[in-house]
Amino acid sequence: MDYLEGLNKSQRVAVEHIDGPIMVIAGAGSGKTRVLTYRIAHMMNRGIDSFNILALTFTNKAAREMKERISQIVGDQEAKNLAMGTFHSVFAKLLRYNAEKLGYPSNFTIYDTQDSRSLIKSVIKELKLDDKDYKPNSVHGRISSAKNNLISPEEYANNAEIVGEDRMSKRPLIYQIYKMYMDRCFKAGAMDFDDLLYQTNVLLRDFPEVLHHYQQKFRYILVDEYQDTNYSQYLIVKKLAAVYENICVVGDDAQSIYSFRGANIQNILNFKRDYPDFTLYKLEQNYRSTKTIVDAANSVIEKNQDQIKKNVWTDNNQGDKIRVIRCLTDNEEGKVITNSIYEIKQGQGLQYSDFAILYRTNAQSRSFEESLRKLNMPYKIYGGLSFYQRKEIKDLIAYFRLSANSNDEEALKRVINYPKRGIGNTTMEHIIIAAQQYDVSLWEVMSDFNRYPCNVNASAQKKISDFVRMMQSFTADLDRVPAFDLAQRIATTTGLLKTLHEDKTPEGVTRYENIQELLAGVKEFSIANKNSENNSLSDFLIDVALMTDADDESEDDKNKVTLMTIHASKGLEFPHVYVVGLEENLFPSQLSINSRTELEEERRLFYVAITRAEKNCTLSYVQSRFRFGQLITSESSRFIDEIDEQFLNFESTYSDKGTSGRSLNARRGLDSKFSNPAATGGLSGLSQRRLKKVNVNDISSTPSKSGGTTTDLKVGFNVMHDRFGKGRVTALEGTAPNQKATVFFPRVGNKTLILKFAKLEVLD
DNA sequence: ATCAAGGCTTTTTTT
DNA sequence: AAGCCTTGAT
């Protein structure tokens, strides 16, 4: 049991205490993941069957990594049956086995946020409500929080307080929308994200034998990031653990940042109430960060009223002070931060992956992307518009979904007229009306006009019937044909592939390539699950629906600068962290500024951001930035003031001379702390030019053995070819002297060139 | 039914 | 700044 040796005393007791209810409060960087991993491995070493363990993590990636690590300790075979994943993915699978009990098909669709929103929108329209008052987004928020608190449409309608709130906000009929929305999801055989938890609760409530079965199966339950669970999740766990009470929850109240999604610190208190004889362990030693970072973070979080007192400390070095950089504009912020990354990377011989840029909102990524691109620095953005949210990907997936579940209304609406088939809005509106009249799904009307006569002319009916027949042929093959073959056939037969291939604009080419990539993903899935019985296209869909950006990290994403929101950075760590956009009304967000509890959540968010850093943390803010397409003047964030000043070092890209009269920060005396305007470098024309040059050298620093004029290229480079003109490198393969590059030339399309022969001039 | 143009809202944060 | 929706012409 040598793995126990690597643990400190408090970690070790938390690992070795297996039975009964346990709560572990784990400070940032205190080895929480380590404890969870070793705890599970230890349980298995002590003879507990992995079949009886349920471990709920916050991301699928975390689950995968933990499972891998456990396999290394106890062996693949032992770890095989471990139920480990996010609440959503674990219970989505559980629901698949039990869906029919609830009246859902076993291959129910999972509606993503877009689907939910679009359905809510059409419900609002059908109820003839004004979407100025009933904004789909906020109505969805209302419905979502009802579901997360397990309030059914009926309970919602009968709850005087809730309906009162809606009346006050001039949206008295939300209860009707809720009812109708749920009804429609049900008819479509679809569950939204919240349903995956809500319906699990219904299942465990209404089917005692099912509850009993899973109580026996999951005798040992572990929950990571417990502070971010909502009521619905809390109750699932409570029910499953009710018999054996072998439940271990791990969390940190100081890192609770998901209350907008219904997460509730109350769950920590509930735990104490539900299991009065529970054992509490605290992990307070931080192994991740320097003393400066730990102490600075502590000095911030202590401003919060709501918190469990703890003393996070570290034995690590003091380390550098936290830099505070002030810039004029958001574009300048982009340049300064990326230049700083470049200089530190070169100066210390680090990897790109040692750096992360963290921001409050996704929209802030733009200026950093631009600067990184200009300097040819590789980066990866997490969140924002992910691969699976791209239109072309969603289109093809919608075809998959509709093949697996004909009643999937959102998928149907998405693809019925794409590619163009001459089935327009008017036709679809008639179908929707008819479907409601007959109380059936759209698909049923469309597949049997004799039985459900409606106001659709003969030519449109014909087109629809053709479509229906095509879809039926896919459905028939769903369980007969391997996932990849069927996916390929769907992409071709529907005309999707052809339509995209005809589009020769760069965007069109990218879309086509994305489709190819999705198909490759299906193939990969087919291979990975070759021996499983869950390897059909509809099984692929469950995986895809709950997949996030972090989950499909490829190998070549490994050495890149990371750009993400602070929310997405939870649980991660980087040697060098840049927290940017520290301005009032941005961070803390404008919407949080009037409520203490929300402001405290922003502060916890800031705490999370700082504590991602191992060695170095840099904060930045700007004087004016573009928001809403308008230039906004901003003031530095109160959070900067909240850090004990002894940990800070102020740098500015400009001097106050000339601006001092107008500076908003003068009031708080922040201006006087900045010195030495040139110190950050990277802004004078000279310094910019120097950097750029250094960078080019870096790129060709691995000498090419090709002997040709072309040195090392990277994807994304702009190049010039004698015959094909200007182009952009989209892929590289092989190594010198046989290295090949795929280049997209706007004039002639994609070409794969052998670098040895092709005379490419690098333009960047 | 389709397409282009112009106007409009939008931003927290995510499974 | 960008995507989405409405409008109006064909």
Side-chain angles (χ1 to χ4, degrees), chain A residues 325-329 332 621 623 650-666 670-681 683-684:
Chain A
I325 300 181
R326 178 181 68 171
C327 304
L328 279 170
T329 65
E332 192 189 76
Y621 69 91
Q623 206 174 56
F650 294 87
E651 294 174 21
S652 177
T653 64
Y654 61 96
S655 111
D656 282 322
K657 289 190 190 84
T659 59
S660 59
R662 293 185 290 119
S663 171
L664 290 159
N665 297 308
L670 207 56
D671 279 343
S672 63
K673 291 167 189 160
F674 289 97
S675 59
N676 192 11
T680 47
L683 280 164
S684 66

Side-chain angles (χ1 to χ4, degrees), chain A residues 682-741:
Chain A
L683 280 164
S684 66
L686 189 122
S687 158
Q688 279 251 28
R689 237 173 290 128
R690 195 197 81 226
L691 263 171
K692 190 117 195 232
K693 202 166 153 206
V694 171
N695 192 49
V696 170
N697 287 342
D698 168 56
I699 281 146
S700 37
S701 63
T702 345
S704 165
K705 289 184 191 121
S706 67
T709 49
T710 312
T711 50
D712 287 357
L713 275 174
K714 284 197 179 158
V715 170
F717 273 22
N718 291 311
V719 292
M720 178 67 85
H721 185 276
D722 285 349
R723 212 145 48 86
F724 302 136
K726 224 171 124 180
R728 192 177 148 87
V729 179
T730 57
L732 288 168
E733 55 177 310
T735 49
N738 297 316
Q739 192 175 32
K740 286 188 259 180

Side-chain angles (χ1 to χ4, degrees), chain A residues 462-527:
Chain A
K462 163 87 172 56
K463 290 172 191 156
I464 289 174
S465 301
D466 289 346
F467 177 79
V468 166
R469 225 166 300 124
M470 174 180 74
M471 291 311 303
Q472 282 168 338
S473 82
F474 300 148
T475 306
D477 280 352
L478 206 60
D479 294 315
R480 286 207 312 249
V481 173
F484 174 70
D485 300 313
L486 181 57
Q488 183 91 348
R489 205 180 115 210
I490 292 176
T492 317
T493 316
T494 58
L496 191 72
L497 221 43
K498 186 159 164 279
T499 309
L500 289 172
H501 199 55
E502 281 163 1
D503 184 350
K504 295 297 182 196
T505 63
E507 297 80 24
V509 173
T510 311
R511 281 196 285 270
Y512 182 76
E513 287 166 356
N514 284 339
I515 290 289
Q516 296 295 358
E517 199 179 326
L518 178 65
L519 290 172
V522 178
K523 181 152 215 171
E524 211 173 286
F525 172 86
S526 281
I527 294 168

Side-chain angles (χ1 to χ4, degrees), chain A residues 29-147:
Chain A
S30 63
K32 179 177 59 107
T33 309
R34 223 175 144 75
V35 166
L36 267 174
T37 312
Y38 288 158
R39 188 180 158 85
I40 296 170
H42 187 64
M43 286 162 75
M44 286 154 69
N45 272 340
R46 294 281 292 275
I48 295 170
D49 192 334
S50 64
F51 180 82
N52 291 124
I53 301 174
L54 168 65
L56 297 163
T57 59
F58 200 71
T59 62
N60 289 310
K61 188 180 167 212
R64 227 181 7 250
E65 288 173 357
M66 240 187 263
K67 206 165 174 176
E68 226 160 78
R69 185 81 191 84
I70 293 167
S71 296
Q72 285 168 8
I73 301 172
V74 301
D76 278 350
Q77 274 309 306
E78 293 298 317
K80 202 181 65 195
N81 290 321
L82 201 52
M84 192 151 173
T86 61
F87 272 89
H88 288 86
S89 67
V90 166
F91 295 114
K93 280 173 193 144
L94 188 146
L95 281 169
R96 276 204 105 178
Y97 290 112
N98 298 282
E100 268 139 23
K101 295 191 178 67
L102 299 170
Y104 284 84
S106 71
N107 52 1
F108 62 84
T109 303
I110 298 172
Y111 275 179
D112 67 13
T113 310
Q114 260 185 64
D115 296 318
S116 301
R117 242 198 65 177
S118 135
L119 178 52
I120 286 171
K121 210 178 211 171
S122 74
V123 168
I124 289 170
K125 200 169 157 199
E126 287 159 33
L127 287 170
K128 303 213 165 23
L129 298 170
D130 186 355
D131 65 357
K132 292 277 181 300
D133 297 327
Y134 291 89
K135 295 219 171 77
N137 258 337
S138 65
V139 172
H140 182 226
R142 228 29 212 159
I143 292 174
S144 174
S145 77
K147 280 193 187 172

